[in-house]
Amino acid sequence: MSTIVHAIDRRGALSLLAGGAALGVGRPSLGQGAAGRVIVVGGGFGGATAARYIRRLDPAVEVTLIEPAERFYTCPFSNLYLGGLRDFESLGHGFDALRRAGVSVVHATAEDVDTAGRTVRLSTGDTLPYDRLVLSPGIDIRWGALEGYDEAAAEKAPHAWKAGSQTKLLRAQLEAMEDGGLFVLVAPANPFRCPPGPYERISMVAHYLKTNKPHSKILVLDAKDQFSKQGLFTDAWAALYGDMIEWVGLSQDGKVVRVDADAREVETEFGNKHKAAVLNVVPPQQAGLIAERAGVTDDSGWVPVVPATFASAKVEHVYVVGDATIAAPMPKSGFCANTQAKVVAAAVVADLAGRAPPAPVWVNTCYSLIAPDYGISVAGVYRVMDGKIAEVEGSGGVSPREADAAFRKREADYGAGWYAAISADTWGA
Amino acid sequence: MSTANVAMQVGRTTRRAVLGGLSACVVAPGAMAGPAAWEGVPAVAALLAGVEPRRDGLALQLPALTEDGSSVNVTVVAESPMTADDHIATLHLFAPRNPSPEVAAFHLAPGLGRAEISTRIRLNESQTVIAVARTNKGEVRLAAREVTVTTTGCLVPSDQTTAGVMQEPRVRVGPSLPAEVRTIIDHPMETGLRQDSAGRPVPERIVREVIATAGETILLRAELFRSVAANPYLRFFVDGQAPVELQVTWVEDTGARVSATVQVPAA
Amino acid sequence: MGRMRAAFLAAIIGMPIATASGALAETDATITLLAAGCANCHGPDGHSPGAMPTIAGASVDVLKAKLLAFRKDEAPGTTVMVRLAKGFSEEELIALAEHFASLKP
Ligand SMILES: Cc1cc2nc3c(=O)[nH]c(=O)nc-3n(C[C@H](O)[C@H](O)[C@H](O)COP(=O)(O)OP(=O)(O)OC[C@H]3O[C@@H](n4cnc5c(N)ncnc54)[C@H](O)[C@@H]3O)c2cc1C
């Protein structure tokens, strides 16, 4: 075993030893031969996968999943709901299958973490002890970081960047919009959840408008000069939606500096004002707030992790996965949250058993749907190289710029296949 | 350069406002890198010329984490009354791990009313960015800030490039005083380090200077190098105590020039 | 998985060659983790609920041939697998083929 320790990251090895040192001292669940107690915070892509895979790898580990929602609605495919291609309920996933897999699911919010005493305090008032903690809290909005955009403003100009009532609000506004109206999407600078997400949303809104309100227009005001799968998106927009969509990047005065949600008006850096019929603001973000409470975030508001294990780089016995982490070049995607959670599950089980974790490999494929029969993707395979996460050279990349309709259709079908597969893999249904 | 009349325009209120506003911006000690971060950088050492810089009174604001090194926002703020007798005369920006560390040098006149400049820069990799300020009396200050630069798989760089010409200048003047001035111009800022799709080197072509003048007075002269991001962006202040016509001129390394004129305070 | 296979895999996956039997568990864990990445599209344990093919219990020869062809870009018209397979070594792809072939269809 000691030889293998060298194969993993220094910090990983250290926390492994520390884990061993904790045996027996005030940690009855480990000392008395049980495999250990793991608390997972967040029942989304990362958390549900981690809980499930820890139980799969070692059924002796007690796993408690903390998630306030009784049904989790996914952001993936919520754009298809906005486009009228899916009903809202098809985005929902319950937790019964996880319970059947032996995970105790508690519907509560984790309010605080005592990383020294290794306990989590819940909104129910209970305090639960853990041997290892896994956080997958996703993102929180940085309210006020964009002037005029606070929680009240989001009720008028929805973000719909967490799926649920916000998504329904945006859909209702689209439905109520008159033909000929202007839909404005405000896109943030990096890093943010789901880099291709705003552009898939634009595509799906365009599909809805083309079908139902063909005189309407779409304006994207972007705080960036380039975006994910840009060439593929812009080619398809021109081919499918003509001049309906206008994209304005940072250098062309696309950066919005002020939002007036009541007037549904935004102001850009160089003083241009745009009035929308429907205003969708994707605001600046940070790691889910519980990560900050647990002390695992850094200056940037995101969570640095040990690449090989996704253990917190700052706090012992805590692992973090998903959007909350600094995992680039891996994007903040549900797919990555799921594969990161599997690496964490293996690392936690090995850690509790005093073994070295297996060498990690992560995979990602982000599908985006531009029209019902028109899908595109970006893929990547990632490993730890020179102590950092890196994309394997020669792997990955985007769909070919030149491809026929059959190819785009197959990617659309595979996108739907992906959603079914990852849902089954994450929540069991 | 005649600074006398500009100096007279700086009233006490402005001075206090500058200082008050600044205290909130000064970087916490934790965010500063130790001396080691800059001692090994020849360009910085040359500028310091053996003088031990003060480590306060100058703040460097940059995101701690960026996923796009091709354009990173940076703001440098110095504590200064910006009077003729006592003002920041130059501000230098360095990115030591870029192919050429010098990013930009700004020459400031008191008429700016505020020693605060923002631009967008290129960062090749994670590194400690350094700012050096020098007052008219020769006092030197230094600030440093670590930035983590990553890229994501979903952000495959686009093959679209900006048209290779200098065009479409934009200048905006804010409503309050000192007046915030934002400027940008379309320009690829070719580094000279890139190859085109046929593998031929693309020659260096940059905007090498941006000059802001009020009548005869040069308020700001910015020397830009290849680490400034495409479509160079510059944000600065003009004290605006007396109304002036502000002219901003961009000078390309070919000698080509483009100018734009605005009223301060905004009409 | 045989002992030979395990040592072989340990070598190609970049871990020190293990001789002690305890190392078998480590290598198995590596393959389990490698295979878990396939579930995102091909479903839990390779049982696909959607458009991707189910790979659990498929013929080992077919799986090997396909994966290696993806890796060499010898499968025209393929969407993502040609991009993903290049992220794995031939030995890893063979181990994955054997893993999924051994599962219940
Ligand atoms: C419009 C849109 C489209 C997208 N499309 C795709 C796509 O096609 N493919 C893809 O791979 N990704 C996609 N994504 C990205 C994907 O949604 C995220 O990357 C993914 O949800 C990240 O998983 P996570 O576990 O980090 O966070 P989440 O899935 O958001 O889960 C976090 C969970 O933690 C819970 N939580 C937070 N704080 C607490 C607390 N204190 N106590 C208890 N529970 C807490 C929350 O309630 C939530 O359920 C899309 C995103 C958007 C916005």
Side-chain angles (χ1 to χ4, degrees):
Chain A
M1 196 204 104
S2 59
T3 45
I4 288 169
V5 169
H6 295 297
I8 67 167
D9 189 281
R10 275 276 269 296
R11 282 280 318 211
L14 284 176
S15 72
L16 191 84
L17 296 176
L23 280 173
V25 195
R27 301 284 148 218
S29 75
L30 281 175
Q32 290 163 9
R37 283 172 309 205
V38 176
I39 293 181
V40 180
V41 174
F45 281 89
T49 305
R52 189 178 189 75
Y53 272 76
I54 291 171
R55 293 286 306 171
R56 268 181 69 131
L57 292 173
D58 188 349
V61 177
E62 277 175 43
V63 179
T64 305
L65 177 69
I66 316 294
E67 163 61 52
E70 294 195 8
R71 216 170 147 71
F72 179 87
Y73 291 90
T74 63
C75 284
F77 278 47
S78 65
N79 288 330
L80 278 66
Y81 159 73
L82 293 172
L85 302 179
R86 281 235 168 196
D87 69 84
F88 193 73
E89 269 318 303
S90 75
L91 308 174
H93 304 276
F95 293 92
D96 289 346
L98 279 169
R99 290 194 171 92
R100 284 196 297 277
V103 175
S104 10
V105 181
V106 178
H107 291 301
T109 301
E111 287 189 334
D112 207 356
V113 180
D114 172 0
T115 52
R118 285 202 242 170
T119 59
V120 176
R121 183 163 56 76
L122 305 186
S123 50
T124 54
D126 294 326
T127 296
L128 305 182
Y130 66 83
D131 298 307
R132 298 293 179 273
L133 175 65
V134 179
L135 299 176
S136 188
I139 53 144
D140 264 305
I141 309 288
R142 289 172 54 207
W143 298 115
L146 174 57
E147 190 183 327
Y149 200 68
D150 56 14
E151 281 171 279
E155 294 306 315
K156 292 176 179 133
H159 54 79
W161 222 242
K162 290 182 174 193
S165 57
Q166 277 277 307
T167 322
K168 287 184 167 169
L169 177 61
L170 186 58
R171 169 75 190 171
Q173 291 187 352
L174 265 178
E175 283 175 343
M177 186 176 116
E178 282 180 20
D179 190 6
L182 177 68
F183 178 94
V184 174
L185 183 138
V186 176
N190 296 305
F192 65 99
R193 157 176 284 182
C194 195
Y199 315 99
E200 183 189 58
R201 173 163 297 170
I202 284 307
S203 310
M204 287 290 95
V205 168
H207 169 73
Y208 169 79
L209 294 176
K210 184 183 174 186
T211 318
N212 297 283
K213 293 160 189 176
H215 303 294
S216 308
K217 293 265 186 253
I218 297 174
L219 174 65
V220 191
L221 296 170
D222 210 322
K224 305 178 286 302
D225 267 330
Q226 26 182 342
F227 62 86
S228 174
K229 298 183 259 189
Q230 186 164 0
L232 289 168
F233 272 113
T234 49
D235 286 357
W237 287 347
L240 299 169
Y241 304 116
D243 62 358
M244 181 183 262
I245 302 170
E246 188 192 352
W247 176 81
V248 180
L250 175 70
S251 303
Q252 305 309 315
D253 198 19
K255 182 178 174 182
V256 167
V257 294
R258 193 169 299 116
V259 175
D260 180 346
D262 289 321
R264 291 208 176 106
E265 192 176 78
V266 295
E267 186 184 330
T268 59
E269 197 173 31
F270 285 90
N272 285 309
K273 291 189 174 161
H274 303 275
K275 199 169 169 61
V278 175
L279 177 58
N280 179 196
V281 178
V282 181
Q285 302 153 29
Q286 64 189 46
L289 292 175
I290 191 70
E292 205 175 292
R293 299 288 306 164
V296 293
T297 51
D298 71 11
D299 253 17
S300 68
W302 303 99
V303 178
V305 291
V306 175
T309 57
F310 274 62
S312 159
K314 294 179 73 182
V315 179
E316 275 196 330
H317 310 305
V318 181
Y319 293 77
V320 189
V321 292
D323 289 356
T325 60
I326 301 171
M330 268 187 272
K332 298 189 188 302
S333 72
F335 199 123
C336 282
N338 171 294
T339 49
Q340 290 161 7
K342 288 164 180 168
V343 166
V344 159
V348 164
V349 165
D351 182 1
L352 288 170
R355 285 196 307 265
V361 182
W362 300 272
V363 182
N364 180 59
T365 307
C366 285
Y367 286 99
S368 299
L369 197 66
I370 303 184
D373 287 338
Y374 198 118
I376 57 171
S377 64
V378 57
V381 180
Y382 307 91
R383 296 177 189 257
V384 180
M385 285 174 240
D386 299 327
K388 286 189 189 144
I389 299 169
E391 184 163 2
V392 178
E393 220 176 288
S395 78
V398 296
S399 309
R401 192 96 180 240
E402 311 294 332
D404 59 15
F407 192 97
R408 303 293 190 219
K409 165 87 169 81
R410 246 180 302 144
E411 291 226 280
D413 293 344
Y414 285 149
W418 165 77
Y419 186 78
I422 198 168
S423 299
D425 191 43
T426 304
W427 297 279
Chain B
M1 186 169 100
S2 97
T3 49
N5 57 336
V6 187
M8 282 165 60
Q9 294 161 9
V10 182
R12 296 201 72 86
T13 36
T14 315
R15 205 173 302 180
R16 214 171 293 125
V18 169
L19 291 170
L22 195 79
S23 56
C25 308
V26 174
V27 172
M32 290 185 153
W38 49 270
E39 267 177 354
V41 184
V44 178
L47 182 67
L48 294 177
V51 177
E52 183 64 28
R54 270 176 61 184
R55 297 302 303 275
D56 59 352
L58 183 67
L60 186 50
Q61 298 161 358
L62 279 146
L65 171 69
T66 174
E67 281 188 359
D68 181 9
S70 72
S71 176
V72 183
N73 275 314
V74 49
T75 298
V76 198
V77 198
E79 212 167 312
S80 168
M82 292 303 278
T83 60
D85 294 345
D86 184 5
H87 63 270
I88 300 288
T90 57
L91 279 173
H92 292 258
L93 259 184
F94 298 93
R97 300 191 135 213
N98 278 9
S100 45
E102 192 154 34
V103 177
F106 305 100
H107 305 272
L108 291 70
L112 294 179
R114 193 151 156 177
E116 173 172 345
I117 305 228
S118 307
T119 185
R120 293 175 185 149
I121 67 174
R122 293 173 166 143
L123 292 176
N124 241 36
E125 54 181 294
S126 300
Q127 55 187 295
T128 302
V129 175
I130 292 166
V132 177
R134 188 187 291 272
T135 66
N136 60 318
K137 294 175 191 153
E139 182 195 275
V140 182
R141 306 177 195 168
L142 183 144
R145 177 138 170 108
E146 254 182 79
V147 188
T148 303
V149 181
T150 63
T151 52
T152 91
C154 270
L155 250 187
V156 178
S158 73
D159 42 13
Q160 284 154 329
T161 51
T162 332
V165 282
M166 184 163 68
Q167 61 185 17
E168 268 210 64
R170 275 188 289 263
V171 181
R172 186 195 184 190
V173 179
S176 46
L177 295 179
E180 182 188 30
V181 181
R182 293 175 180 155
T183 73
I184 195 168
I185 195 162
D186 283 9
H187 194 279
M189 293 295 279
E190 278 298 347
T191 57
L193 305 170
R194 196 173 70 90
Q195 294 183 344
D196 66 12
S197 48
R200 288 175 303 242
V202 180
E204 179 164 347
R205 169 68 20 92
I206 63 169
V207 175
R208 74 173 150 78
E209 248 179 6
V210 184
I211 306 161
T213 52
E216 299 282 275
T217 309
I218 297 178
L219 294 176
L220 175 69
R221 190 167 69 82
E223 292 176 75
L224 310 185
F225 302 97
R226 59 188 171 193
S227 291
V228 169
N231 309 315
Y233 169 90
L234 212 56
R235 174 180 160 274
F236 55 92
F237 289 82
V238 172
D239 83 5
Q241 293 295 303
V244 292
E245 188 177 79
L246 183 75
Q247 186 179 55
V248 183
T249 303
W250 290 262
V251 185
E252 203 183 44
D253 49 9
T254 55
R257 289 167 169 257
V258 172
S259 290
T261 306
V262 288
Q263 291 303 315
V264 179
Chain C
M1 188 181 318
R3 208 192 154 102
M4 286 288 293
R5 168 104 257 152
F8 177 54
L9 276 171
I12 55 113
I13 290 165
M15 289 197 290
I17 298 178
T19 45
S21 60
L24 280 178
E26 315 285 355
T27 310
D28 279 344
T30 302
I31 285 300
T32 307
L33 186 55
L34 214 54
C38 307
N40 298 42
C41 292
H42 289 277
D45 291 320
H47 296 100
S48 171
M52 283 80 166
T54 283
I55 48 177
S59 145
V60 70
D61 292 335
V62 172
L63 285 180
K64 270 188 208 170
K66 283 204 164 176
L67 287 172
L68 296 178
F70 291 145
R71 188 172 189 276
K72 283 188 246 152
D73 236 337
E74 287 168 359
T78 304
T79 57
V80 290
M81 280 308 293
V82 282
R83 291 176 253 159
L84 293 175
K86 295 190 190 99
F88 299 86
S89 67
E90 286 197 5
E91 290 77 5
E92 285 172 322
L93 294 176
I94 291 168
L96 284 170
E98 288 176 350
H99 172 84
F100 283 105
S102 75
L103 300 178
K104 269 209 305 275

